[in-house]
mmCIF file of all heavy atoms in Angstrom:
data_model
loop_
_atom_site.group_PDB
_atom_site.id
_atom_site.type_symbol
_atom_site.label_atom_id
_atom_site.label_comp_id
_atom_site.label_asym_id
_atom_site.label_seq_id
_atom_site.Cartn_x
_atom_site.Cartn_y
_atom_site.Cartn_z
ATOM 1 N N VAL A 672 17.933 167.816 155.673
ATOM 2 C CA VAL A 672 19.003 168.194 156.606
ATOM 3 C C VAL A 672 19.386 167.015 157.502
ATOM 4 O O VAL A 672 20.577 166.742 157.721
ATOM 5 C CB VAL A 672 18.554 169.404 157.452
ATOM 6 C CG1 VAL A 672 19.508 169.630 158.619
ATOM 7 C CG2 VAL A 672 18.478 170.646 156.586
ATOM 8 N N ALA A 673 18.386 166.303 158.022
ATOM 9 C CA ALA A 673 18.680 165.182 158.911
ATOM 10 C C ALA A 673 19.455 164.085 158.182
ATOM 11 O O ALA A 673 20.419 163.522 158.726
ATOM 12 C CB ALA A 673 17.380 164.629 159.481
ATOM 13 N N THR A 674 19.067 163.802 156.949
ATOM 14 C CA THR A 674 19.770 162.773 156.169
ATOM 15 C C THR A 674 21.198 163.197 155.871
ATOM 16 O O THR A 674 22.132 162.384 155.945
ATOM 17 C CB THR A 674 19.002 162.510 154.865
ATOM 18 O OG1 THR A 674 17.653 162.153 155.159
ATOM 19 C CG2 THR A 674 19.657 161.393 154.079
ATOM 20 N N ALA A 675 21.391 164.482 155.551
ATOM 21 C CA ALA A 675 22.744 164.969 155.269
ATOM 22 C C ALA A 675 23.620 164.905 156.509
ATOM 23 O O ALA A 675 24.808 164.545 156.438
ATOM 24 C CB ALA A 675 22.672 166.406 154.744
ATOM 25 N N ALA A 676 23.063 165.240 157.662
ATOM 26 C CA ALA A 676 23.845 165.183 158.903
ATOM 27 C C ALA A 676 24.228 163.744 159.231
ATOM 28 O O ALA A 676 25.363 163.472 159.655
ATOM 29 C CB ALA A 676 23.048 165.799 160.048
ATOM 30 N N ALA A 677 23.291 162.803 159.031
ATOM 31 C CA ALA A 677 23.609 161.392 159.277
ATOM 32 C C ALA A 677 24.698 160.902 158.335
ATOM 33 O O ALA A 677 25.597 160.148 158.740
ATOM 34 C CB ALA A 677 22.349 160.545 159.132
ATOM 35 N N ALA A 678 24.649 161.346 157.066
ATOM 36 C CA ALA A 678 25.691 160.961 156.111
ATOM 37 C C ALA A 678 27.043 161.514 156.520
ATOM 38 O O ALA A 678 28.082 160.849 156.383
ATOM 39 C CB ALA A 678 25.310 161.451 154.714
ATOM 40 N N THR A 679 27.069 162.739 157.032
ATOM 41 C CA THR A 679 28.324 163.332 157.500
ATOM 42 C C THR A 679 28.913 162.519 158.646
ATOM 43 O O THR A 679 30.126 162.272 158.700
ATOM 44 C CB THR A 679 28.083 164.780 157.964
ATOM 45 O OG1 THR A 679 27.594 165.551 156.857
ATOM 46 C CG2 THR A 679 29.361 165.402 158.489
ATOM 47 N N LEU A 680 28.071 162.086 159.566
ATOM 48 C CA LEU A 680 28.548 161.271 160.683
ATOM 49 C C LEU A 680 29.090 159.933 160.195
ATOM 50 O O LEU A 680 30.084 159.416 160.718
ATOM 51 C CB LEU A 680 27.414 161.046 161.687
ATOM 52 C CG LEU A 680 26.980 162.270 162.492
ATOM 53 C CD1 LEU A 680 25.723 161.970 163.301
ATOM 54 C CD2 LEU A 680 28.103 162.708 163.442
ATOM 55 N N HIS A 681 28.458 159.359 159.179
ATOM 56 C CA HIS A 681 28.956 158.103 158.616
ATOM 57 C C HIS A 681 30.340 158.299 158.003
ATOM 58 O O HIS A 681 31.247 157.482 158.204
ATOM 59 C CB HIS A 681 27.981 157.579 157.551
ATOM 60 C CG HIS A 681 26.845 156.790 158.100
ATOM 61 N ND1 HIS A 681 27.019 155.621 158.798
ATOM 62 C CD2 HIS A 681 25.503 157.014 158.057
ATOM 63 C CE1 HIS A 681 25.845 155.140 159.158
ATOM 64 N NE2 HIS A 681 24.906 155.968 158.728
ATOM 65 N N ARG A 682 30.518 159.384 157.256
ATOM 66 C CA ARG A 682 31.801 159.606 156.588
ATOM 67 C C ARG A 682 32.913 159.894 157.593
ATOM 68 O O ARG A 682 34.043 159.442 157.429
ATOM 69 C CB ARG A 682 31.671 160.771 155.603
ATOM 70 C CG ARG A 682 30.862 160.435 154.361
ATOM 71 C CD ARG A 682 31.037 161.508 153.296
ATOM 72 N NE ARG A 682 30.585 162.812 153.776
ATOM 73 C CZ ARG A 682 29.336 163.272 153.624
ATOM 74 N NH1 ARG A 682 28.432 162.509 153.018
ATOM 75 N NH2 ARG A 682 29.000 164.466 154.058
ATOM 76 N N SER A 683 32.593 160.662 158.612
ATOM 77 C CA SER A 683 33.626 161.050 159.575
ATOM 78 C C SER A 683 33.860 159.995 160.641
ATOM 79 O O SER A 683 34.885 160.042 161.340
ATOM 80 C CB SER A 683 33.229 162.365 160.258
ATOM 81 O OG SER A 683 32.055 162.186 161.035
#
Side-chain angles (χ1 to χ4, degrees):
V672 168
T674 304
T679 299
L680 290 172
H681 276 298
R682 288 193 300 269
S683 65

